[in-house]
Amino acid sequence: MFEVKIFDGPDDQAGTVIQSPYPNGVKLSAGTVNTVISGISNMSFTINLNNAGWGKIKPLKTLIEARDIKRNKRIFKGRVLKPTQTMSSDGLFSIEYACEDRLAYLNDSNQRFGEYHDITVRDFLGVMLENHNRQVEPCKQFKLGNVTVTDPNDSLYRYLGYDKTYATIKDKLLDRLGGFLVIREAADGNYIDYLAEVGEDSETEIRLRSNLKDMKREIDPLDVITRLVPLGAKIESDNPDDTGASEARITIADVNGGKDYLDDPEMIAEFGVVEGTLELDDVSDKATLKAKGEQFLAQQKAAKITYSLTPVDVSLLNSEFDELEAGNRYAVVNPVFGINERLQVIEKDNDLVNPMNISLTIGDKYQTLTEYQRASRKQVKSIVQLERTVESQTQTIGTLKTELDSVDSTVQTMQQALADGDIPGLKQAVEDLQSAVDDLNGAIDSLPSYGPATPTTDGLMSAADKTKLDGLQSYEEATPETAGLMSAADKTKLDLITVLQEIDLDALSEKLALIGVTAAVDLDDLVSRVEALEGGTA
């Protein structure tokens, strides 16, 4: 299913196959592709002496590509980073290689100092890519692509230093504004898109007892701050020996009753006192500093939730199901964990040797304190329901076991009677066995089991009810020309009735009750008489 090729630099167009998707082709000893949506994807593989790649791979120069032949798409493209050579105790030699995605080319350059005011997110990223492109070979260069991430003011104030380009982009943009870096290939080169969102919503579910093999949930409340110390701009010191690290900062003590900190009572009740700081170098007004500190506490999340799971990729067997891909969002259903919501896959591991083996990381999902407490209560409730179900099943199994023990006891009595030659005792033992078997069958028959009902056989409903259900017909609305729920003739007669004023139906019912019919009436004859009278009057 997976094909892996290595290339001796960017000019090697043919490449060397080191993993064939076909049964008799060359194989890796092991291999994994780790795809992430935040960060740099990576790959590792192991080859032995018989592999075509042995002796041909050079760190940082050899390029590598992995393709999914069944789905006709590339799942990894990058370069080989470093080898690890191994000789096992049984004399077998192998080399394991670590690889990194093309986004790691941004680690091959450093930025240059600069101060930028009133610059957009797009233009600032463009500056950093220009600095990078001036320092690297053409195959490592990137063009500025689509940028959908924005700053609230659409105006950045940033400094650039001499750090690696990727570390700078991460610090100045990704960590502060969020978003994702995505490489996009085009005829005129490689582009980097900076997107606010990636992936799409899938109709495929990841569900317990369906396509979910195992699952682990990590709840991390370690970053929570229940007592915040807001720190504003630095206060310049008259002492020339003071360094930036020892300079005092503006605090909120003067506008907060002498306290330089803010408490979150609900968080403290849940997690205790956990103090942290918030540094705001551009805030010199104490009231503003306090307001920003309160805003930070109000928006703070109580816990970070990360799910790791091993699903079955049903799309390999049934094309009606979507492939499980990094970046896409899937409905994850696990009643024991109290989870039933749509979550995004942030990481995916593909086993290159065993394609059915995949693992996903879902999250990170941040919960507020209320969500955190609600999820905890929901999980406890699910566990209680599960315990009740298990208890009910245990009771049923216990009943069956008791009946089975009775059968075993009777069999032993029969065996003893046979050994002793006790014919009357054997007869009684047979009767006891029959009774025990009848009790066991009764216990089994008491377990509810329903099949589909038919007009002659009871099922989830009775046969009589099934017959009635099948006898129901679907009727259209009647017209004077076409029969429906009533005949066309009855519809014609009904249309002749005209109600000129509101009728008291209760009074009409009382009057009708006074009318008594003592003999059969020929209605057609009655109609003829009425018509004759009307004609005579006229």
Side-chain angles (χ1 to χ4, degrees):
M1 176 172 167
F2 294 115
E3 180 184 70
V4 181
K5 282 186 176 182
I6 56 173
F7 302 85
D8 187 20
D11 297 328
D12 180 6
Q13 300 298 316
T16 301
V17 176
I18 61 173
Q19 160 85 7
S20 170
Y22 307 110
N24 296 326
V26 63
K27 300 295 180 184
L28 299 173
S29 300
T32 303
V33 171
N34 174 246
T35 305
V36 298
I37 63 173
S38 296
I40 300 175
S41 299
N42 60 84
M43 171 181 171
S44 64
F45 66 93
T46 303
I47 60 174
N48 56 36
L49 285 167
N50 297 322
N51 192 283
W54 189 272
K56 297 182 179 179
I57 301 176
K58 304 171 185 177
L60 295 180
K61 181 181 179 182
T62 298
L63 306 181
I64 188 166
E65 179 176 305
R67 294 190 63 85
D68 184 338
I69 300 300
K70 180 178 176 64
R71 298 187 175 101
N72 191 29
K73 71 173 188 175
R74 184 174 59 227
I75 64 171
F76 184 85
K77 186 175 183 179
R79 63 183 176 183
V80 176
L81 193 60
K82 65 176 183 178
T84 301
Q85 300 177 344
T86 303
M87 184 189 77
S88 65
S89 58
D90 51 6
L92 298 178
F93 292 85
S94 64
I95 304 178
E96 180 182 5
Y97 291 94
C99 312
E100 58 185 2
D101 182 74
R102 289 171 295 171
L103 204 58
Y105 292 159
L106 295 174
N107 286 323
D108 292 353
S109 66
N110 289 70
Q111 290 296 298
R112 296 297 184 263
F113 178 81
E115 182 177 352
Y116 301 89
H117 298 265
D118 300 325
I119 188 171
T120 65
V121 174
R122 178 182 179 83
D123 291 343
F124 186 58
L125 177 59
V127 169
M128 291 185 282
L129 290 182
E130 289 175 2
N131 288 338
H132 166 78
N133 291 338
R134 283 196 292 265
Q135 304 171 47
V136 298
E137 308 94 306
C139 64
K140 298 180 181 178
Q141 294 177 2
F142 297 102
K143 298 181 179 182
L144 179 63
N146 301 318
V147 177
T148 60
V149 175
T150 59
D151 175 71
N153 301 317
D154 200 27
S155 177
L156 300 179
Y157 176 27
R158 296 283 194 275
Y159 286 94
L160 289 180
Y162 296 93
D163 296 324
K164 292 290 185 182
T165 298
Y166 182 78
T168 303
I169 294 176
K170 186 175 185 300
D171 174 46
K172 305 296 183 180
L173 293 179
L174 295 173
D175 290 348
R176 304 188 190 191
L177 301 178
F180 307 89
L181 294 181
V182 179
I183 296 177
R184 174 169 50 87
E185 290 187 6
D188 58 343
N190 295 326
Y191 286 79
I192 284 187
D193 295 332
Y194 184 25
L195 307 178
E197 294 289 342
V198 294
E200 57 187 25
D201 291 341
S202 171
E203 295 301 319
T204 297
E205 289 186 341
I206 303 175
R207 178 182 289 272
L208 182 65
R209 291 182 294 184
S210 177
N211 60 343
L212 179 58
K213 293 168 62 178
D214 60 62
M215 184 174 185
K216 178 176 69 174
R217 174 169 58 185
E218 178 183 341
I219 302 175
D220 181 11
L222 297 181
D223 293 332
V224 70
I225 297 174
T226 64
R227 174 171 290 172
L228 179 68
V229 182
L231 300 174
K234 295 178 181 179
I235 301 174
E236 296 183 3
S237 173
D238 295 332
N239 186 351
D241 295 330
D242 283 348
T243 64
S246 62
E247 289 179 353
R249 287 178 174 269
I250 293 174
T251 71
I252 63 171
D254 292 343
V255 294
N256 193 47
K259 297 179 181 179
D260 64 351
Y261 60 85
L262 297 169
D263 280 342
D264 187 328
E266 291 185 351
M267 286 284 200
I268 290 176
E270 185 71 28
F271 301 108
V273 176
V274 181
E275 189 171 87
T277 61
L278 175 65
E279 296 183 358
L280 301 169
D281 294 334
D282 57 343
V283 178
S284 56
D285 180 73
K286 297 176 182 179
T288 302
L289 181 63
K290 180 180 179 182
K292 287 186 175 292
E294 292 171 339
Q295 181 181 13
F296 175 87
L297 287 178
Q299 296 176 347
Q300 183 184 208
K301 305 299 183 181
K304 180 179 72 174
I305 313 297
T306 303
Y307 299 91
S308 299
L309 52 90
T310 303
V312 177
D313 193 351
V314 187
S315 66
L316 292 173
L317 307 174
N318 188 339
S319 59
E320 293 183 358
F321 291 86
D322 295 335
E323 179 190 0
L324 303 177
E325 296 185 85
N328 287 351
R329 291 167 290 274
Y330 303 88
V332 181
V333 183
N334 187 337
V336 179
F337 278 9
I339 176 175
N340 184 359
E341 58 184 313
R342 186 171 293 277
L343 298 173
Q344 186 175 39
V345 175
I346 64 171
E347 185 174 344
K348 177 181 179 180
D349 287 332
N350 280 104
D351 189 327
L352 297 175
V353 178
N354 300 295
M356 294 297 293
N357 294 340
I358 65 171
S359 62
L360 306 177
T361 300
I362 294 182
D364 303 328
K365 178 179 174 61
Y366 292 87
Q367 291 183 334
T368 63
L369 178 61
T370 301
E371 292 170 338
Y372 173 80
Q373 293 171 332
R374 186 187 301 120
S376 298
R377 291 193 296 267
K378 185 177 180 181
Q379 184 178 2
V380 170
K381 183 178 180 180
S382 297
I383 293 174
V384 171
Q385 291 175 341
L386 180 62
E387 288 175 343
R388 290 174 178 171
T389 302
V390 171
E391 181 180 358
S392 175
Q393 295 296 329
T394 301
Q395 292 175 352
T396 302
I397 293 172
T399 301
L400 294 176
K401 186 177 184 303
T402 300
E403 300 295 341
L404 185 59
D405 289 342
S406 176
V407 172
D408 289 338
S409 176
T410 305
V411 170
Q412 291 174 5
T413 303
M414 289 177 62
Q415 291 173 340
Q416 184 63 41
L418 285 172
D420 296 341
D422 184 1
I423 301 303
L426 179 60
K427 181 179 179 182
Q428 182 62 43
V430 171
E431 293 176 354
D432 292 342
L433 176 61
Q434 183 61 51
S435 176
V437 170
D438 291 342
D439 291 340
L440 180 59
N441 288 331
I444 294 174
D445 292 340
S446 66
L447 296 176
S449 175
Y450 301 103
T454 70
T456 57
T457 307
D458 289 343
L460 189 57
M461 65 174 66
S462 67
D465 288 341
K466 175 63 175 172
T467 301
K468 295 176 183 177
L469 182 63
D470 291 344
L472 295 178
Q473 299 182 31
S474 177
Y475 294 99
E476 300 293 335
E477 182 179 356
T479 69
E481 294 79 23
T482 306
L485 189 57
M486 65 175 66
S487 67
D490 289 342
K491 174 62 175 174
T492 302
K493 296 175 182 178
L494 183 62
D495 289 345
L496 295 175
I497 298 175
T498 303
V499 179
L500 300 178
Q501 62 182 10
E502 184 178 351
I503 299 173
D504 186 341
L505 294 179
D506 291 333
L508 178 61
S509 177
E510 293 175 357
K511 294 176 181 179
L512 291 174
L514 299 175
I515 299 174
V517 180
T518 58
V521 178
D522 187 339
L523 295 179
D524 292 334
D525 179 61
L526 180 61
V527 170
S528 299
R529 294 179 182 181
V530 171
E531 290 176 346
L533 289 174
E534 290 177 346
T537 303

